[in-house]
Amino acid sequence: MAEAALEAKILAALRTALPETPHPVALHEPRFAGREWEYVKECLDTGWVSSVGKFVDRFEADLAAYMGVKHAVATVNGTAALHVCLLLAGIAADDEVLVPSLTFIATANAVAYCGATPHFVDSDEASLGVAPAKLADYLAGIAEVTAQGCRNRLTGRPIKALLVMHAFGHPADLDGLAELCERYRLTLIEDAAESLGSYYRGRHTGQWGLLSAVSFNGNKIATTGGGGALLTNDSALAKRAKHLTTTAKLPHAWEFVHDEVGYNYRLPNLNAALGCAQLEQMEGFLAAKRRLAERYAEAFAGLAGARFFTEQAHARSNYWLNVLLLDPAQAASRDTVLQATHDAGFLTRPIWTPMHRLSMYQNCPRMDLVVTEDLHRRVVCLPSSVVLG
Ligand SMILES: *Cc1c(COP(=O)(O)O)cnc(C)c1O
């Protein structure tokens, strides 16, 4: 008998891992099983629904404590938090920022919002994040460290920062990347949008960057509806972040005086109320994610043609989105797998189109991106809602 097609074997494994789940099975749904109603109702009852209120303060304090940083500044979404991280790192027109090409669009867009140029770097099959050894080789060829900092010898522009991203909750190799940033005098910034609850060598992601950003969009592990936050251990930067994200208004009982071009990036109290209730449930969310990942690992074990992606020994992933990695020889079957799983009611997804392939970023500087291209052809994201765990 001929061997079953890859998509049939994957469907069988999905049915084993998710028996009796009502269809369609979403990619990622939020779960509101805590005090969400109570906290949101309190906002409505008291009239504190908008940009000030006790839940904003509490959400910032709870989040900073959870992530092990001194300060969190809540923002209207994760993209806004990233934008402010880059502004506070001094990123401006004519600068280049090293960014993985394998990321969600917000990472590259935040660089462009500053008038700067994303400079795309390759990722690693072990972490799905920026590959430090390959980046080191590349920088040795194109970068020089001058009295003013790092400079791209090919474009003549300053390379100011490395913006790393922890894909699907799997931490990038932070030690290697931090060392590289030190050597080349680059500011390290973390896009930790997907890695709330993920640890690298026992420390929460988001603690390595001078500044980091998280997202609380509806599809993330914890949600405020829409929302995000900037994190830092630097008190002066935190103060600047609060100022910039609240229209740069000087505190006064009635006067409207703003001392620079600020942004209205505040997170409303209503959303923060939701966030406070969600943070209270993080332990349960993470446990459910881990149970689901373990069930997938078991169901896909021994399946020829694909493997379930698991955390590295030094990492603890939140398993925000579960990843099935097709074997290189099976890359051509990716769309067949996506179609067959969708037809059967499992709403799987490919990874993002690499940034350097998008029209607005196709002329940006970049290194050789073979691993990015390869992963793009092979990743299939599996349904990952907390409720499935
Ligand atoms: C979700 C996400 C963001 C921020 O998204 P928002 O929708 O603006 O909160 C940024 N980067 C990555 C990698 C993300 O997945």
Side-chain angles (χ1 to χ4, degrees):
M1 199 177 90
E3 211 196 335
L6 181 62
E7 64 273 17
K9 291 189 287 185
I10 289 174
L11 266 179
L14 278 171
R15 291 189 173 115
T16 304
L18 304 172
E20 293 156 34
T21 307
H23 283 226
V25 187
L27 184 72
H28 201 291
E29 282 177 328
R31 179 166 163 81
F32 304 114
R35 302 176 76 176
E36 286 88 351
W37 270 112
E38 182 189 330
Y39 293 169
V40 169
K41 184 171 183 302
E42 189 178 325
C43 297
L44 301 181
D45 289 346
T46 59
W48 292 102
V49 294
S50 195
S51 50
V52 283
K54 73 168 202 192
F55 285 114
V56 174
D57 297 338
R58 180 177 152 193
F59 182 59
E60 292 179 337
D62 291 356
L63 181 62
Y66 182 75
M67 293 191 71
V69 294
K70 285 199 186 126
H71 307 280
V73 176
T75 56
V76 73
N77 56 52
T79 310
L82 272 177
H83 182 199
V84 176
C85 284
L86 292 166
L87 291 173
L88 292 180
I91 308 304
D94 271 350
D95 291 338
E96 292 181 9
V97 177
L98 302 172
V99 174
S101 180
L102 204 63
T103 188
F104 176 60
I105 190 72
T107 324
N109 279 351
V111 175
Y113 296 164
C114 298
T117 302
H119 184 149
F120 296 117
V121 301
D122 208 10
S123 292
D124 187 318
E125 184 168 332
S127 71
L128 305 177
V130 174
K134 187 168 178 180
L135 181 56
D137 284 349
Y138 176 65
L139 289 177
I142 66 125
E144 63 186 5
V145 180
T146 71
Q148 285 77 42
C150 186
R151 184 173 158 277
N152 182 338
R153 287 196 281 107
L154 305 179
T155 62
R157 291 188 292 237
I159 304 177
K160 282 271 182 67
L162 167 64
L163 177 49
V164 302
M165 197 278 284
H166 308 297
F168 308 123
H170 294 285
D173 187 353
L174 284 163
D175 277 349
L177 295 168
E179 193 275 321
L180 202 54
C181 284
E182 210 157 291
R183 202 179 337 149
Y184 282 93
R185 297 182 55 195
L186 304 169
T187 301
L188 179 61
I189 301 169
E190 292 178 68
D191 178 344
E194 304 180 357
S195 65
L196 187 72
S198 297
Y199 294 78
Y200 176 83
R201 298 196 191 281
R203 275 169 63 198
H204 201 293
T205 53
Q207 292 185 20
W208 273 258
L210 173 69
L211 296 143
S212 304
V214 281
S215 167
F216 294 94
N217 192 40
N219 63 347
K220 295 300 193 311
I221 186 163
T223 185
T224 57
L230 171 153
L231 305 151
T232 185
N233 283 318
D234 185 312
S235 303
L237 287 177
K239 205 166 166 221
R240 283 269 301 138
K242 194 69 180 180
H243 188 61
L244 263 188
T245 55
T246 53
T247 69
K249 183 179 178 295
L250 299 178
H252 192 280
W254 58 80
E255 291 284 9
F256 292 98
V257 181
H258 307 256
D259 64 354
E260 63 184 304
V261 179
Y263 300 85
N264 181 10
Y265 280 174
R266 291 175 284 212
L267 182 73
N269 200 47
L270 260 180
N271 301 76
L274 212 51
C276 288
Q278 290 268 289
L279 285 183
E280 289 174 350
Q281 299 165 76
M282 274 307 289
E283 214 175 302
F285 291 170
L286 289 168
K289 292 284 201 183
R290 190 154 286 270
R291 283 194 300 272
L292 178 60
E294 279 163 8
R295 281 219 308 281
Y296 275 139
E298 216 169 290
F300 285 101
L303 188 147
R307 71 180 167 90
F308 180 68
F309 188 88
T310 52
E311 67 198 358
Q312 293 182 279
H314 58 257
R316 192 163 176 91
S317 175
N318 66 4
Y319 285 99
W320 169 57
L321 281 191
N322 290 289
V323 169
L324 188 67
L325 204 51
L326 306 186
D327 287 355
Q330 297 289 347
S333 309
R334 188 198 72 172
D335 290 354
T336 315
V337 169
L338 290 167
Q339 188 67 58
T341 47
H342 271 247
D343 290 348
F346 296 100
L347 304 187
T348 54
R349 285 287 162 82
I351 200 168
W352 318 278
T353 299
M355 297 298 105
H356 69 281
R357 297 249 216 107
L358 302 176
S359 58
M360 61 285 196
Y361 294 129
Q362 66 188 356
N363 296 321
C364 290
R366 62 183 196 235
M367 67 193 276
D368 129 54
L369 297 167
V370 283
V371 179
T372 296
E373 294 280 4
D374 179 54
L375 287 171
H376 174 242
R377 285 187 290 265
R378 293 168 51 209
V379 167
V380 174
C381 293
L382 305 174
S384 299
S385 304
V386 163
V387 70
L388 299 176

